[in-house]
Amino acid sequence: MQHPHIAVTGVSGSGKTVVGERLAELLELPFVDGDDLHSEEAKAKMAGGTPLDDEDRWPWLERTGAWLHDHADGGVVACSALKRSYRDLIRSRCAGAWFVQLTGDRELIASRQSGRRGHFMPSTLLESQFATFERLHPDEPGLVLDVAPPIEVIVDQIAAAAR
């Protein structure tokens, strides 16, 4: 496999977790939801309606890159990695990291996010995520996909590109 260390990225509600889980299953790789790598303090901050700043994110991004690096045979992580500097940090820990950036219509993503139950990230923070979002640069290894097609179509596109 050409890209065994895959980070499925995008704003909250873009489908990172479900795409990442299904992709990992299809490719027979371990999966972790980046939400599980956040500190309890960061989760509480977001749950309280306050967006994370870069200082809050650096340790989480370090853990995310380390998780990928520690899975020598490959793995899939779902994490926002909204800015190039965040993706650069992940790549500094796992040089072979390959990014799948899920993008799409704000209204569609907002409707998906508002339908989630029991998640610490309130929909009120979605605008801060869109404000932070930076599209993959041409020199960054990865793929940009729209979130509108069915999950199976998205996962198949990623798997084909990753092989």
Side-chain angles (χ1 to χ4, degrees), residues 4-161:
H5 295 100
I6 302 170
V8 180
T9 70
V11 299
S12 180
S14 62
K16 299 179 297 290
T17 300
V18 68
V19 168
E21 287 172 335
R22 292 192 187 171
L23 179 65
E25 184 178 312
L26 179 66
L27 299 178
E28 299 179 347
L29 293 172
F31 171 79
V32 68
D33 189 330
D35 288 346
D36 296 335
L37 301 175
H38 272 298
S39 68
E40 291 305 314
E41 295 80 13
K43 289 179 187 179
K45 186 174 183 177
M46 288 182 282
T50 303
L52 299 181
D53 59 27
D54 285 353
E55 292 306 310
D56 297 319
R57 288 186 182 105
W58 296 133
W60 170 68
L61 293 162
E62 292 267 354
R63 287 189 292 275
T64 301
W67 186 91
L68 283 171
H69 177 268
D70 291 346
H71 289 81
D73 293 331
V76 178
V77 62
C79 68
S80 54
L82 297 173
K83 292 166 77 173
R84 181 182 182 132
S85 60
Y86 303 167
R87 297 184 297 269
D88 287 346
L89 186 95
I90 292 170
R91 277 191 295 273
S92 77
R93 301 299 174 260
C94 182
W98 190 71
F99 294 85
V100 175
Q101 193 173 65
L102 301 177
T103 64
D105 179 75
R106 282 180 191 231
E107 290 179 19
L108 174 61
I109 292 172
S111 71
R112 289 179 178 178
Q113 189 196 38
S114 67
R116 295 191 310 185
R117 300 290 174 248
H119 194 275
F120 62 85
M121 179 82 162
S123 58
T124 55
L125 294 183
L126 185 57
E127 280 308 311
S128 72
Q129 293 224 318
F130 275 111
T132 303
F133 176 79
E134 294 176 2
R135 195 171 178 96
L136 281 177
H137 292 81
D139 65 327
E140 290 186 272
L143 176 67
V144 178
L145 292 174
D146 190 279
V147 299
I151 297 295
E152 295 77 22
V153 171
I154 295 169
V155 171
D156 286 346
Q157 289 175 323
I158 299 166

